[in-house]
Amino acid sequence: MSQLGFGNSFGFIGKDYALVATDCAVPRSIITMKSYDDKIQKVADQTLFCLSGDVGDRKNFGEFIGRNLKWYEMRNGRKLDNDGIANFTRSTLAQSIRRNPYMVGVIQAGYEETSGPCMYWFDYFGTMSTPKATAQGLCQYFLLSLFDRHWKAGMSLEEGLTLVELCIEQLSKRYVISLQSFIVKIVDKNGVRQINLNKQVKLEQTKIDMDAPKTATGIPTALKQ
């Protein structure tokens, strides 16, 4: 499977910030090649790219967008806003499909002084959407339902970090792949910064009561807490 599937990135918009998080593992087939890799790149003063996909494409695409934004600023004397960055990113992905495709998924998180936080989602075909909460990779199967239930508009930073911890806890418990570390970054009016969660998830172990009533297959139907 491509690393597009193994990537586990998610993000959402809060009251006055946009947050993105991703796992730090670099897998190759059934092997973890690297345990810590920062997959979130700063491409502008108030814009983050949370990238999933093959390592080479992630690094190359993020640097390509960042350098072109800097070149645009030097040539025109002004910066692109987040909407302009999103459209440039979408067109770059779409134009590369038939030449040399970038096998990357992107969650763009940004902040504008006039409109506040914003978020954009891209797949490697160049499809773009503007969700309030989203995910990339196989973690979508677990996290989108959590967002449907627990995300709400105008979440404070404390509420947002609680939701992040809930997402990481669910992935640690339910995902077949061991995800040992995550990195979390936010962008707001003050710029970009990293959040340290320092959270270790421990799975609860329950003891089976062998005296409990059993099913036809002989499996106890009750667990002793």
Side-chain angles (χ1 to χ4, degrees):
M1 180 183 292
S2 168
Q3 291 188 32
L4 274 172
F6 281 130
N8 299 280
S9 306
F10 60 93
F12 53 84
I13 294 175
K15 181 180 179 181
D16 52 5
Y17 65 91
L19 180 150
V20 285
T22 180
D23 73 300
C24 300
V26 179
R28 187 72 175 179
S29 183
I30 61 173
I31 300 173
T32 299
M33 304 297 292
K34 189 176 180 181
S35 298
Y36 186 86
D37 185 36
D38 189 351
K39 304 175 185 178
I40 305 176
Q41 296 188 30
K42 178 182 176 181
V43 296
D45 290 339
Q46 292 182 311
T47 306
L48 288 171
F49 271 13
C50 189
L51 298 152
S52 60
D54 295 329
V55 178
D57 281 351
R58 279 195 288 106
K59 301 289 187 183
N60 189 13
F61 184 74
E63 291 178 359
F64 176 81
I65 297 294
R67 298 299 184 270
N68 273 273
L69 294 177
K70 191 65 177 178
W71 178 60
Y72 179 92
E73 179 185 351
M74 294 172 63
R75 186 179 63 174
N76 296 280
R78 62 186 180 89
K79 300 179 181 180
L80 279 177
D81 60 8
N82 276 281
D83 192 56
I85 294 173
N87 282 281
F88 175 66
T89 301
R90 189 211 67 78
S91 63
T92 301
L93 288 169
Q95 291 171 7
S96 68
I97 292 176
R98 292 174 177 85
R99 293 182 296 178
N100 187 20
Y102 290 103
M103 301 299 293
V104 294
V106 185
I107 299 175
Q108 175 185 330
Y111 187 89
E112 295 293 334
E113 296 295 338
T114 55
S115 56
C118 56
M119 185 161 287
Y120 303 84
W121 179 96
F122 309 88
D123 64 10
Y124 68 98
F125 291 114
T127 305
M128 181 178 77
S129 63
T130 55
K132 301 298 183 182
T134 188
Q136 286 270 15
L138 293 176
C139 68
Q140 296 178 84
Y141 293 104
F142 309 108
L143 300 188
L144 293 182
S145 58
L146 282 178
F147 291 147
D148 285 340
R149 174 154 191 162
H150 297 286
W151 180 87
K152 60 183 180 181
M155 295 180 70
S156 66
L157 181 56
E158 291 74 16
E159 292 174 324
L161 294 179
T162 299
L163 179 56
V164 169
E165 292 181 354
L166 177 61
C167 292
I168 294 175
E169 182 178 2
Q170 288 301 308
L171 288 176
S172 300
K173 288 183 177 180
R174 302 175 63 190
Y175 205 10
V176 67
I177 302 171
S178 175
L179 303 175
Q180 299 180 355
S181 57
F182 281 79
I183 185 169
V184 181
K185 293 184 180 182
I186 68 169
V187 54
D188 56 17
K189 63 181 180 180
N190 298 317
V192 173
R193 66 181 187 272
Q194 182 174 336
I195 302 295
N196 295 318
L197 290 179
N198 295 324
K199 179 178 176 62
Q200 295 182 348
V201 179
K202 296 182 179 180
L203 298 181
E204 296 180 357
Q205 296 183 353
T206 56
K207 296 181 179 180
I208 298 178
D209 185 1
M210 300 308 296
D211 296 327
K214 297 179 175 59
T215 63
T217 58
I219 300 175
T221 57
L223 296 177
K224 180 184 297 182
Q225 298 297 330

